[in-house]
């Protein structure tokens, strides 16, 4: 054994050097997943806001119709 009988601890990455291409691929994959998640959240929030806005408009329209019917 070398180094007076001491063994070297295995590297966390399996003794292989991480390629810069792998790092870039991981970052792009993470970014794509994050963009997809934010897009889904955005769509659901905008649909919910639109539904709430349509409910408000419908209530106002109903009030105007009732007001008009009372005058006639």
């Amino acid at each position: 054994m070398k180094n007076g009988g001491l063994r070297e601890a295995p590297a966390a990455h399996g003794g292989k050097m991480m390629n810069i291409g792998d790092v870039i691929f991981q970052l792009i994959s993470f970014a794509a997943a994050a963009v997809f998640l934010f897009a889904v959240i955005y769509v659901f929030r905008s649909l919910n806001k639109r539904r709430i806005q349509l409910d408000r408009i419908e209530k106002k329209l109903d009030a105007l119709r009732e007001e008009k019917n009372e005058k006639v």
Side-chain angles (χ1 to χ4, degrees):
M1 284 193 187
K2 299 178 186 178
N3 299 338
L6 298 176
R7 292 187 193 174
E8 288 185 28
H13 47 74
K16 296 180 183 177
M17 192 123 179
M18 189 168 237
N19 195 357
I20 191 70
D22 294 338
V23 172
I24 292 171
F25 177 77
Q26 289 288 331
L27 290 174
I28 290 173
S29 298
F30 178 74
V35 166
F36 178 75
L37 179 66
F38 286 126
V40 169
I41 291 171
Y42 175 78
V43 166
F44 280 112
R45 288 187 67 196
S46 65
L47 287 175
N48 190 35
K49 285 181 182 181
R50 181 175 291 159
R51 183 184 55 82
I52 291 170
Q53 183 181 21
L54 286 174
D55 287 344
R56 279 196 320 258
I57 292 171
E58 187 177 358
K59 286 178 185 177
K60 288 179 183 179
L61 186 59
D62 288 341
L64 287 173
R65 283 183 182 161
E66 286 183 23
E67 184 179 313
K68 181 181 175 186
N69 288 338
E70 288 175 4
K71 288 183 180 181
V72 174

